[in-house]
Amino acid sequence: MEENFKNYEKTITKKHSISFSPKYKEEFKTSANEIIFIAVAEKAVEKLGWDIIYKDDFNIEAKRKEAGWMNERWTEIITATYKSGTISVKSESLGNEIWGCGQKL
């Protein structure tokens, strides 16, 4: 992740989730159309260093990889969906923890 994004990440209030696989979902309105939204979301995912695993005209899905002591593993997945000016963002931990506090989401 680029240094300026790491600094910005420190200013974001983290949202907590407790479950076997922590999940978080949020919706918000936008005046951008789906073409602009997907283009901006794709650029953000690339700048954060995540891997895009799926993209179409209304959805984008990416996973974050973390280096472990033996190999790399997927740690989080985020899905953003555009529908009639409403953006739905869902993040989910892919690890075995029960508490997620938005570490990299």
Side-chain angles (χ1 to χ4, degrees):
M1 182 185 324
E2 293 181 14
E3 193 62 36
N4 58 333
F5 292 120
K6 288 180 184 178
N7 293 333
Y8 180 71
E9 181 182 38
K10 292 175 186 174
T11 68
I12 298 171
T13 303
K14 295 181 179 181
K15 298 176 182 176
H16 300 268
S17 175
I18 297 174
S19 67
F20 181 65
S21 288
K23 300 173 187 74
Y24 182 79
K25 185 174 182 180
E26 187 168 331
E27 290 187 348
F28 59 92
K29 292 282 195 183
T30 182
S31 59
N33 65 32
E34 68 275 8
I35 295 168
I36 292 171
F37 167 71
I38 293 296
V40 169
E42 182 176 13
K43 190 58 127 178
V45 166
E46 290 171 359
K47 293 276 188 180
L48 291 169
W50 289 42
D51 297 320
I52 295 173
I53 57 168
Y54 178 78
K55 182 182 84 162
D56 65 17
D57 292 341
F58 301 96
N59 305 283
I60 188 165
E61 188 168 276
K63 287 184 179 179
R64 180 181 167 281
K65 205 180 281 183
E66 187 174 274
W69 63 278
M70 289 184 63
N71 59 357
E72 292 183 328
R73 66 182 181 93
W74 299 113
T75 57
E76 287 96 18
I77 187 167
I78 189 164
T79 306
T81 303
Y82 179 98
K83 185 175 181 182
S84 304
T86 299
I87 307 298
S88 175
V89 179
K90 182 179 86 169
S91 66
E92 182 175 351
S93 173
L94 298 174
N96 58 1
E97 61 273 341
I98 60 168
W99 176 45
C101 63
Q103 298 96 323
K104 306 283 192 280
L105 307 176

